[in-house]
Amino acid sequence: MKIKVSASILSADFSCLKEEIKKVESAGVDMLHIDVMDGHFVPNITIGPVVIKDIRKITRLPLDVHLMIKNPWYFVDDFIKAGSDMITVHIETVSKSSLRAIGKKLKSKGIKMGIALNPSTSLDKIKDVLNLVDLVLVMSVNPGFSGQSFISSVIPKIKRLRCIFKGDIAVDGGINDKVAPFLIRAGANILASASYLFGAKDKKLAIKRLKDAE
Ligand code: DX5
Ligand code: ZN
């Protein structure tokens, strides 16, 4: 599978977000990863649909929206209207019926649906919803902040997931060129990165190093 890089703007300088986005866009990222946090599901608060709506105006990159919020069902319409191309919700925050309802809504709008799981959440929790989603986002840090260290115990989880799931497998948290080869070999095809990418002087090279990591 072709390896894609999703630039997580959480490590961007928000005082010049447009320039930051243009930098990663021209360096060749495949999509923008937008971390939405509510201060309930995770111990941090970030941005919401208002900001996403404006990001939509300044880039053609697909917007990969990672919802780390309680009750995503209440807000999913707002994220659709804001211009998301892909919306990922956490299995820890939804019931099966709510996930089905979100899936139905996204499908009717042509938006991709992802399911995320925390490092300590077992694959068993998502096994019977894999048929509903386009993507699984495997968290390799506990969600809340960028700049944390990669948790290597998720690698066997990715391998097991790849045996039973043919869709996109994204990994998020603590990714750099050192861990990328292990992720790709395990079966991941989308790498989300904040601090490694935004901290890199040569972003083109940083992206190439992630993509060619195998
Ligand atoms: C963590 C977020 C990640 C984070 C990644 O809660 O979901 O997307 O921004 O940051 P790095 O790549 O610095 O670990
Ligand atoms: Zn994320």
Side-chain angles (χ1 to χ4, degrees):
M1 270 170 127
K2 193 174 169 266
I3 308 303
K4 292 182 177 171
V5 172
S6 194
S8 162
I9 59 167
L10 198 54
S11 284
D13 178 346
F14 279 83
S15 68
C16 49
L17 188 56
K18 183 175 177 180
E19 288 79 2
E20 292 277 82
I21 289 172
K22 288 295 152 192
K23 273 187 217 161
V24 289
E25 186 171 355
S26 60
V29 294
D30 299 281
M31 53 192 119
L32 278 188
H33 181 93
I34 304 177
D35 288 309
V36 177
M37 304 185 187
D38 67 349
H40 290 279
F41 175 58
V42 287
N44 195 6
I45 298 175
T46 54
I47 58 172
V50 182
V51 177
I52 296 175
K53 179 170 76 47
D54 286 346
I55 293 176
R56 178 70 294 163
K57 291 188 244 167
I58 58 131
T59 181
R60 282 204 174 141
L61 287 172
L63 303 183
D64 151 30
V65 175
H66 179 191
L67 297 184
M68 287 159 278
I69 62 173
K70 277 194 172 170
N71 302 320
W73 170 251
Y74 293 159
F75 297 99
V76 72
D77 281 322
D78 299 331
F79 288 100
I80 291 171
K81 271 187 226 134
S84 311
D85 296 283
M86 183 192 309
I87 296 183
T88 297
V89 300
H90 269 259
I91 189 70
E92 298 86 1
T93 65
V94 282
S95 64
K96 297 271 154 66
S97 59
S98 161
L99 191 69
R100 244 177 239 116
I102 294 173
K104 208 169 163 193
K105 200 180 267 273
L106 295 184
K107 202 167 189 181
S108 73
K109 307 277 178 190
I111 295 170
K112 285 193 173 178
M113 159 123 166
I115 189 80
L117 72 171
N118 281 346
S120 63
T121 301
S122 144
L123 261 193
D124 294 337
K125 290 269 187 306
I126 61 161
K127 271 188 180 152
D128 58 343
V129 299
L130 288 176
N131 59 326
L132 301 174
V133 302
D134 303 287
L135 165 141
V136 176
L137 180 65
V138 178
M139 290 305 299
S140 43
V141 297
N142 287 307
F145 304 91
S146 58
Q148 302 183 78
S149 301
F150 178 77
I151 298 172
S152 59
S153 60
V154 303
I155 292 172
K157 198 194 245 181
I158 300 166
K159 281 189 190 151
R160 277 185 281 123
L161 176 63
R162 184 43 89 205
C163 296
I164 56 167
F165 183 64
K166 300 280 164 268
D168 288 320
I169 300 181
V171 190
D172 185 17
I175 295 179
N176 54 36
D177 54 350
K178 311 268 178 315
V179 302
F182 297 97
L183 302 175
I184 295 171
R185 269 183 242 138
N189 65 302
I190 300 179
L191 307 179
S193 165
S195 50
Y196 168 75
L197 203 53
F198 282 94
K201 279 220 172 78
D202 187 340
K203 295 190 175 16
K204 220 174 188 165
L205 184 63
I207 293 164
K208 188 175 158 34
R209 283 199 173 136
L210 290 181
K211 288 194 177 188
D212 296 349
E214 214 175 355

